Structures are given as C-alpha cells and as structure tokens.
Amino acid sequence: MNLLYTDVEDDLRASVAGLLADRAAPAAVLANLGNGADTALWRDLARIGATSLHVPEHLGGQGASYRETAVVAEELGRSVAPVPFLGSAVLATAVLTHLADDPAARDLLSRLAQGETTAALVVPLSSWGPTAGGYKARSVADAEAADVLVVPVEGTVHLVEARHAAVTPVTSLDQTRPIADVDITGAPTTPLAGPGDEAVRAALVVGAGILASEQVGIARWCLDSTVAHIKGRYQFGRPVGSFQALKHRVADLWQSIVLATAAARHAADALATGVDVDIAVSVAQSLCSTVAVRAAEECVQLHGGTGMTWEHPAHLYLKRAKADEIALGTPGRHRATLAPLVDLPLQSTP
C-alpha cells in the first residue's frame, strides 16, 4: 500500500486548486451564499475531468480510481465550493456504476461523466448502513441542483426526472451544501435492473470514504489560515504565534491532521483496490470527522474577534465540518460499525 500522492495525483490537485483559487476563493463563496450550486464552476470542473475520474472509460469517464476522486474532494474541502460533487459525482455515480448493466443506468452515467447532467441520491445526508428508501426523503444533499433523482424504493433503484418531483429546499447549517426534502409520489419512474440495496450500500461506503478526504481539506485550510494569522498578528511587539501556548496548540493540530490524512488516504486506496474497504472507511470517518471539527473550532478561536465575524470565511469551514460530522454516519456510528469488523467488544453507555 502506498499512501503517498503520485505525480498524476499532484498534477490533478494543481489543476483543481488553480481553478478553485480563480473561481471559488473564500470571498467569492461568501458573496454567493444562498444562491445554490455554482453551475458555471461545476461545468468547468467537468471540463477538466474532475467529475468523472472513477467512471470507466467505456462509460464516458476517465477510468481512474477513487484515489484521484479523493484528491478532488480534498481540494473542494479546502474551498468549501458550492458544487454538487458529493451528491452527483460520488453518491449517484457510485450507485449507477454498480448497476451499469442496465442501459438506462449506463446512459445516465455517461451524461454525468460528461458534465451534461447532475444527479442526486435520494437518501438523507445522515444515512449510514441499510436504508429502506422510499418515495419521500428528508435532507437530501444536492437535490436542488439535480436534473435526475436516483431513488431507492423497496430494494430497487428508480430514476426520476427532478422536474416531476417535489423538491423543497430546507434550511441547512452548511449553506455551501444545500439540502432539500424530496417527494416523488406520483412521479413517473424508470426502475433499474440489479441489486438496488447492494448498490445503495456500496455508494454510502464510497461516499463516506471520499468525505474523509474532504474533511482533511477542511482541516488543512483551517490550519494554514490559522498559522498565517498568528504569524502576522502582533502583541507586545511579538507575533502571537511565537507564544509557546499557541505553538503547542498548532503543533498538536498539525499532528492530528497528518494522522487524519493517512487515514483518509488509506480509505481512498481501499476503495480503489477493494481491500478491507469497510474497515478503512470507518476508521477514516471516525477520525477525520473529529479532526475537521477541531481544526475549524481552533481556527475560529485563534483568529480572535476576526474569526467570529460574518465577513471572515472561518464560519463556512466550521459549519461544513459540523455538517460533515453527521453526514454518512457520525463518528460514533462508524466506531460501532468498526468494532465487530476488528473483533472489538462494543461497550454500552450508562
């Protein structure tokens, strides 16, 4: 297992980071809060191939692996860009890839890979483990931006044109990832052949594994921003970053992020190779969720009064980190999933 970034992954990171620096700098994200997904940025991400990396070439994708997809997620975490990457390029795409023997799934997968269409998997963002699905679902990520809804119903996956469904936006803590309640009652559907339950479960595992890399990106931005701030802010004629207490806090945070990065890379590699996937993903999620929240909290606090203002982007990262903490399974649920996989007894809480 090699957890280091390859030259190809570094080149991909540079391309995505350059685009995001140009189009999704913190000031731009702040200015566009509440306006939904940035469709122009999404098209540009599709143009450079960032939305179709793990889709097989014969289905219109890049034929890469989840390692490369994780690199894109990490950079998107650094910018908290309002694009439907998790809902469309990860969750919906993973379901369709699993059911690619069905012609309708292949057709939609090809359109998603080319950036012509967006989709959303109609399950609550907090879903983890078996999910029954149904005609209604609450708090669905990226449903507002979707052209097609991928809906699990009674063990089968159905495709629904979003214009035929009731998609009701709801208030989200994280304004950079809109959520909506979805009701497809009475809408015409196209059922896909194949094991729907298995496809949805596989997609949730993929989503949780890729989300760990997004959380690493959040944590890294928070650390970099904090270090830059405390190096440039002076008290008593010295940079506040030279005070020993702050040095220790930042060093401890850096160490945690290094560990989280290794866990996220392991999860991405496991998704790419198919080795110990469930273990790697739950280890990564149980750790990276916590580290991202801690990094964001430290960022707000160590920025002082500036970090508490609406104009500073620190709150965007704190809100994304807190929303991600419950997305696709909380750290506690992942630890509970992990325990029997590694022969650890579950302890009941008093």
Side-chain angles (χ1 to χ4, degrees):
M1 182 189 305
N2 182 3
L3 302 185
L4 298 177
Y5 296 101
T6 66
D7 291 342
V8 171
E9 289 165 350
D10 285 338
D11 290 343
L12 173 63
R13 179 191 303 281
S15 296
V16 175
L19 175 62
L20 294 175
D22 221 24
R23 301 286 304 282
V29 175
L30 278 168
N32 287 289
L33 280 183
N35 293 330
D38 187 337
T39 55
L41 176 59
W42 182 246
R43 286 194 297 269
D44 286 340
L45 285 167
R47 179 177 50 79
I48 65 173
T51 63
S52 60
L53 289 163
H54 57 271
V55 178
E57 287 184 276
H58 69 278
L59 294 173
Q62 305 298 311
S65 75
Y66 284 114
R67 285 177 59 113
E68 288 79 14
T69 302
V71 169
V72 176
E74 188 177 329
E75 289 307 308
L76 289 172
R78 281 180 183 267
S79 72
V80 292
V83 292
F85 186 77
L86 181 65
S88 185
V90 178
L91 291 172
T93 296
V95 171
L96 296 168
T97 302
H98 205 83
L99 301 175
D101 287 340
D102 187 287
R106 287 199 303 273
D107 174 68
L108 177 56
L109 194 56
S110 178
R111 287 187 284 134
L112 292 179
Q114 299 302 317
E116 300 170 0
T117 305
T118 54
L121 176 61
V122 181
V123 296
L125 183 57
S126 60
S127 293
W128 178 247
T131 177
Y135 288 91
K136 298 179 182 180
R138 301 189 64 183
S139 303
V140 178
D142 300 323
E144 276 188 87
D147 301 306
V148 181
L149 302 173
V150 180
V151 189
V153 179
E154 298 177 353
T156 305
V157 171
H158 295 244
L159 303 183
V160 180
E161 295 291 331
R163 67 179 185 274
H164 296 312
V167 179
T168 307
V170 297
T171 302
S172 172
L173 172 65
D174 174 18
Q175 292 174 283
T176 64
R177 177 171 284 147
I179 57 175
D181 294 342
V182 176
D183 184 353
I184 66 162
T185 303
T189 71
T190 302
L192 300 180
D197 284 345
E198 183 180 326
V200 172
R201 183 195 176 279
L204 295 179
V205 172
V206 168
I210 298 301
L211 191 65
S213 289
E214 178 183 294
Q215 290 162 333
V216 166
I218 293 168
R220 286 193 176 277
W221 183 92
C222 291
L223 176 63
D224 292 346
S225 175
T226 301
V227 169
H229 177 75
I230 64 177
K231 284 171 66 177
R233 182 184 176 194
Y234 281 70
Q235 284 186 352
F236 310 111
R238 297 170 54 190
V240 296
S242 66
F243 300 153
Q244 190 175 43
L246 295 191
K247 284 182 178 180
H248 287 177
R249 285 173 68 170
V250 172
D252 286 346
L253 182 57
W254 176 84
Q255 187 177 38
S256 297
I257 293 173
V258 169
L259 184 60
T261 301
R265 292 295 292 164
H266 181 209
D269 189 73
L271 289 171
T273 62
V275 178
D276 292 333
V277 174
D278 289 341
I279 292 174
V281 167
S282 284
V283 166
Q285 262 305 305
S286 61
L287 174 62
C288 295
S289 291
T290 304
V291 170
V293 171
R294 180 188 164 202
E297 289 174 342
E298 288 282 61
C299 180
V300 171
Q301 186 170 24
L302 294 181
H303 272 79
T306 302
M308 298 296 292
T309 63
W310 188 252
E311 291 78 16
H312 196 277
H315 67 90
L316 298 179
Y317 291 83
L318 178 58
K319 291 170 183 175
R320 173 67 71 91
K322 290 298 289 183
D324 279 1
E325 189 178 27
I326 63 171
L328 303 175
T330 63
R333 291 194 69 183
H334 280 282
R335 285 191 287 270
T337 299
L338 181 64
L341 297 176
V342 294
D343 298 325
L344 285 176
L346 282 171
Q347 294 183 345
S348 59
T349 55

